[in-house]
Amino acid sequence: GSAQGFFGRYMRVLGQVRFRQLRVQKDLGCAVPDYMSEYTLSCYPPYTPASEDVSAFGPVGDVTGLPVWRWRTANEMQEGTLVGKATGTSYAGSGFNFSMPLGRQEALDTLREYRDGE
């Protein structure tokens, strides 16, 4: 087995794992080709700051009554811009995020909850 906090042999997690997601606005500046229209009704453009979707989404929190996934600025998340190696695209430090609980079972339960939307 692997030691606690390690993934594989060489990578070690030193704190909480944070998931961050950038979203784009559906059907903004793009169109589904006619030959594909029977398979899909929407398209999603490449990410640019202008196409970023900042609308909250996901299950509603018990305490707040608001969607769990809320957009935050780069300053709120203390994140900088990242540049994709494959495309050279700059990705803003803003977005939707959550930090994984440190306990294994609590982390698994949280992932299942977000996956299932419950």
Side-chain angles (χ1 to χ4, degrees):
S2 62
Q4 185 172 357
F6 281 89
F7 289 91
R9 289 181 161 182
Y10 307 104
M11 296 188 310
R12 181 172 183 156
V13 176
L14 297 176
Q16 284 182 292
V17 173
R18 176 191 267 181
F19 288 87
R20 184 170 69 97
Q21 181 181 89
L22 293 174
R23 296 168 65 90
V24 294
Q25 298 173 50
K26 182 169 66 171
D27 297 323
L28 180 71
C30 62
V32 176
D34 289 339
Y35 68 89
M36 296 291 290
S37 63
E38 69 181 274
Y39 301 107
T40 185
L41 301 175
S42 300
C43 67
Y44 295 87
Y47 172 81
T48 65
S51 67
E52 187 173 10
D53 186 352
V54 299
S55 305
F57 70 99
V60 173
D62 294 335
V63 175
T64 64
L66 299 170
V68 173
W69 291 93
R70 183 181 69 85
W71 183 84
R72 291 173 174 81
T73 66
N75 284 340
E76 285 178 283
M77 297 202 310
Q78 299 177 358
E79 292 285 346
T81 300
L82 300 171
V83 178
K85 288 185 178 183
T87 63
T89 301
S90 292
Y91 296 95
S94 57
F96 302 88
N97 79 309
F98 82 93
S99 296
M100 289 290 291
L102 292 173
R104 178 180 166 78
Q105 190 57 52
E106 190 177 351
L108 288 170
D109 292 344
T110 299
L111 285 174
R112 282 189 195 102
E113 178 182 333
Y114 286 147
R115 180 194 66 199
D116 299 339
E118 297 173 0

